[in-house]
Amino acid sequence: MMIPARSALTLTFDLAMTLTKFSQFLSPPVMAAMALCGQAHAQVAPPSAPPATPAPVTSAPAPLPQVEIAATRTDEQRTSGTFRQTVGTAELVRYGDGSVLDVLRRQPGLVVNGVPGRKGGEVSMRGLGSGYVRILLNGEPAPPNFSLDNLAPDVVDRIEILGVPTVEMGTQAIAGTINIILKRSNGKNQRQLRAGIYHDNDRTKPQLSGTWSGQDDTLAWLVTAAARQLSGDETYLTRTEGAGEEGVILRDMTQFNEDRGWNWSLAPRISKKFGADDSLALQSYLSGTTYDSAGFGRTDFLRGPETQFANENYTSEGSSLTIRNNLTWMRALGASSKLEAKAGATYARSDASSGVDFVDRAQRLRNRQDSARDNHNRSVTASAKLRTAYSDKHAFVSGAELQRDRDLYHRSDVIDARSRLDQTGSAFRVDSRRYALYAQDEWDVTARVALYLGLRWERVELHSANNLGQQVDFARAMLSPVLQSVWRLPGTKSDQLRLGLARTWRVPSSESLIAGRSMSVVNTMTRPDTSGNPDLRPERALGLDLAYEHYLSQDGMVGVGLFARRIDDVTLTRTVREGERWVARPFNSGRALARGITLETKFKLPQLVAGAPALDVRASLARTWSAVDAVPGPDNRIGNQAPLSVNVGADYSFSAAPVSAGATVGYVRNGTVRLSGNETSSESNKRVLEGYVLWKFTPKVHLRLSASNLLHEDDLKRSSYAGEALWQNKTVTAPTYTVLRAIAELKF
C-alpha cells in the first residue's frame, strides 16, 4: 500500500495540533516550530529524484569531516532494525557540560529533574522515572556508586538510547535503556586537553579533562581522564501548615547548606590484535568523589506549639571509589562466526558520616546525633556471545551471562551516645547472583522489511543476613520475548514504520528487600521511618511501541512515536503503624498503565526558506499519561512522571569567522501526583534556556563559552497529607542560579 508524502505530512501535523487539548504551554512559537517540521516534510524532493547523498567536495576540504559524521549518524538510525538513537561526540561536548546528565536533558523523550548545571537529578524515559530506566556502561550494568551526574562527557565516545530493549542488552528496562560507551582509540594518535572554569552563585570552580592515545600495527591504547571541583551554597525555605491533635500549626524553616568537593574519572583502554580477526582488550573505569558540607536549620513557630529537634547545626563528609576492569577476547570461528568472551571485576566503596547538634533558640545544645555508613561491593562477571552471519543481511546471536555480587553494609546512628539500631540491625551482608541466556535473530527479510526476534531468560537470586541473625532470601526468574520490525514503505525513498513488542521487568533493589530500618528523629505519619520489604516481587511489564520516520535531505528527519506500557505488581510506598512508630515500606500494588506520544524533528532552515541562514534546527515534544489502579484519581500517575516536555534548539556556523553558536529552550510540565488516597506531591514546572559559542582560533586551539539555566527560576516542591485526624501541607522553595562556563580546548 502506498502512502503519499502529503498524507504523512497531514498525519504528523494533525498529531501535533491535537496536543493543544492537553497542554496550556503549547504556545504559538512552539506550535510554529512543529509546523516547520511538517513544511520540511512537504518540501522534500519528489520520489522520482535520486536519493539525497552528501555532495562531493572538490575544494575547501575543511567541511568534509562534518558532512561525513552527520550522514553516518542519520544512516545508523535509518538502517537500524531496532529502536535506537545515538548521541555522538559532537553533541556530547557542544555545550561544555560538566556531566552526562546535562547532555541527556536535551535528548528527545528524556526528562531530567533537578537544575541544569548543578549536581543532583535523575533521568526518566517514556515518562517513567530512573528506577524504570536501565543504565549500562559499555553494555554491562553500571557499577555501584555510578552516577550520570559525576560522569564527564569528555570520557564518553557515544550514548545509545534504546526505547525498546534488545535481549543482548537486557530486559530489566521497562522504560528503556541508556548505554554509555567509553572512548576508544580511533586509529590516530590523540593529544587533547580541555581546561576551563565554571561559575555560579558567586563561586568559580575549575574543570579539566584530557585524552592521550596512540597505536602501532597491532597495539592500540587510550587514556581519558576528567576532574571537576564541586562547590555550591544552597538555601531552602520550608513552610508547613496544618491541623491535628496539637491544633493548628504554621511553621517556617530556613536551611542553609554549603558543599565542597571533587569528582574525577579515569578510563584507560588497551587492545592487542592477533592476526586479522582475533583481539584482546582491557577496558578499565575508575571514578571517585569526595565532599564535605556544613549548614544549619532554623524554625519559626508562627502558630502552634514548639517541637523538639527544630533547630540544628550540622556537618557531614563522605567519599566514594569505583574500580572496574573488563577483559574482552574476540576470536573468529571460521568465515562466518565470531566469539566474544568477557570477564570482569568491580570494587566499589562509599562512606559518609554526619554530626548534628540540636539546639534551642539561644543556641544551647539539647541533643547530639552522630550517624555513619560504610558500604563495600565486590562483583565478578563473565559472559560469552557467539555471532553467526549467514549473509550480510542475516545474523544469529546467542549468549550467556553470569554475575556474582557481595555487598557489606555497616551503619551507626547514635543520639546522646545511645544507639538507635540495636533492634533493627547495624550490619548487613547481601550476596546476589544473576544468570542469563539469550538468543536473537537479526534479519533483513527483504529490501523493505527488517525483523528482530529475541528471547532472554534471566534469574536473580539474593540472600541477606544482618548482625541480629535475621535473613532474607529472594529468587525470581523471567522469560522475556522481544519483537522489533521495520517496514520501509513502498513507493517512498525515506519513509518507514517501526513496531516493537517486549516483555520487561524491574527487580527490586537490595535496599528495598532487606528489612533494615532508617530511623526518623521525629517519628510522625508524615515523617516515618523507612524500611525494606522481604516479600516484594518484581514489577513486570508488557510494552508496545509504534513509530513513523521520514528522512529529509541534509541529515533532516521527522518522527512520530506512540508507546504503551502495562505494568503488573507496580511498587508503591505505604506508611503503616508498627508498634509505637510509623514505618514506610514498599509494597506491590496491582497494575498501572503508561502511554504517550513523542514528536521529533531536525532540519536545516534553508530547506524551508530559500536564502535563509544555515541554521540547524532540532525540536522534540513528549506527552505522557499514566494511571495506577491502586491509587484513586485524578492525577494517580506513576511516580513523578512529567506529563509534557518540549525542547527546541538551533545551531549556526558563521561564514565570516570561525565561530559557531547555538541555543536550546526547554520546558517540562510537572503538576500534581497523587501518591495514595491521603498523599499528593507536586513540583514546579521547569523552563530552561541555555546557549554556547565556539571560537576556533586555529584547527588545534578552540575556546568554548556556554551558559545554562539562564532563567534561574525558583525550584518549588509541595507535599500534602489529608487524613481523618491530620492534614498538612509542606512547600519547599529553593533559588537556582545561572551557570557560566569557559573552556579552552587544545590539541597537540
Side-chain angles (χ1 to χ4, degrees), residues 315-374:
T315 60
S316 65
E317 62 181 6
S319 65
S320 66
L321 173 68
T322 301
I323 303 173
R324 169 174 282 189
N325 292 291
N326 285 100
L327 190 65
T328 303
W329 176 49
M330 299 186 69
R331 180 177 179 81
L333 302 178
S336 60
S337 297
K338 180 173 290 188
L339 175 67
E340 179 181 305
K342 291 183 179 181
T346 300
Y347 170 76
R349 173 193 58 79
S350 66
D351 62 82
S353 62
S354 64
V356 183
D357 290 329
F358 296 101
V359 298
D360 59 18
R361 287 180 176 272
Q363 295 295 298
R364 293 187 296 264
L365 180 65
R366 288 188 171 181
N367 304 89
R368 167 78 181 185
Q369 181 184 22
D370 292 285
S371 303
R373 61 172 177 82
D374 187 13

Side-chain angles (χ1 to χ4, degrees), residues 80 256 318 359 545 628 673:
S80 174
F256 174 79
V359 298
D545 287 76
V628 181
V673 179

Side-chain angles (χ1 to χ4, degrees), residues 393-439:
K393 302 293 185 182
H394 191 190
F396 184 81
V397 180
S398 59
E401 299 172 0
L402 169 65
Q403 180 174 342
R404 181 171 182 176
D405 289 67
R406 169 163 290 182
D407 294 274
L408 301 176
Y409 302 91
H410 297 275
R411 303 180 302 161
S412 67
D413 188 354
V414 177
I415 290 185
D416 291 340
R418 182 177 178 179
S419 174
R420 302 200 303 155
L421 301 178
D422 291 342
Q423 304 301 317
T424 61
S426 60
F428 295 82
R429 190 187 78 184
V430 180
D431 293 307
S432 59
R433 296 179 176 87
R434 180 176 62 87
Y435 314 92
L437 298 171
Y438 65 87

Side-chain angles (χ1 to χ4, degrees), residues 272-313:
K272 174 73 173 178
K273 288 185 177 181
F274 302 93
D277 299 309
D278 298 350
S279 65
L280 187 66
L282 175 64
Q283 172 75 70
S284 299
Y285 173 74
L286 301 88
S287 69
T289 302
T290 60
Y291 74 90
D292 62 82
S293 63
F296 63 82
R298 300 289 181 266
T299 302
D300 294 323
F301 295 89
L302 305 178
R303 187 179 299 174
E306 295 190 8
T307 61
Q308 287 187 316
F309 308 106
N311 299 298
E312 61 185 34
N313 302 320

Side-chain angles (χ1 to χ4, degrees), residues 12-23:
T12 305
F13 186 72
D14 287 347
L15 283 170
M17 293 300 294
T18 58
L19 294 178
T20 58
K21 301 177 182 178
F22 306 104
S23 171

Side-chain angles (χ1 to χ4, degrees), residues 1-5 47 446 448-449 487-497:
M1 176 181 178
M2 181 180 297
I3 299 179
T446 69
R448 293 195 172 274
V449 177
W487 179 33
R488 301 174 180 95
L489 300 179
T492 69
K493 296 292 185 180
S494 55
D495 290 25
Q496 57 190 32
L497 295 175

Side-chain angles (χ1 to χ4, degrees), residues 520-591:
S520 173
V521 176
V522 180
N523 185 262
T524 66
M525 176 67 186
T526 57
R527 300 176 65 179
D529 300 342
T530 58
S531 181
N533 178 4
D535 298 322
L536 204 61
R537 299 184 300 275
E539 298 180 50
R540 296 163 290 114
L542 182 63
L544 168 66
D545 287 76
L546 296 169
Y548 162 75
E549 298 170 351
H550 175 79
Y551 290 88
L552 310 171
S553 61
Q554 304 180 58
D555 197 34
M557 66 87 64
V558 178
V560 181
L562 303 171
F563 71 89
R565 299 287 188 273
R566 192 193 71 189
I567 306 173
D568 294 309
D569 282 333
V570 66
T571 301
L572 300 178
T573 300
R574 299 179 195 165
T575 301
V576 296
R577 188 80 173 182
E578 297 184 3
E580 297 182 354
R581 299 186 68 85
W582 291 100
V583 182
R585 296 182 184 274
F587 290 90
N588 295 111
S589 305
R591 177 172 290 179

Side-chain angles (χ1 to χ4, degrees), residues 101 104 110-112 121-125 128-130 133 135 148 178:
L101 197 64
L104 295 175
L110 300 186
V111 173
V112 178
E122 56 184 29
V123 63
S124 65
M125 188 173 177
L128 301 176
S130 61
V133 181
I135 306 296
L148 295 172
I178 297 176

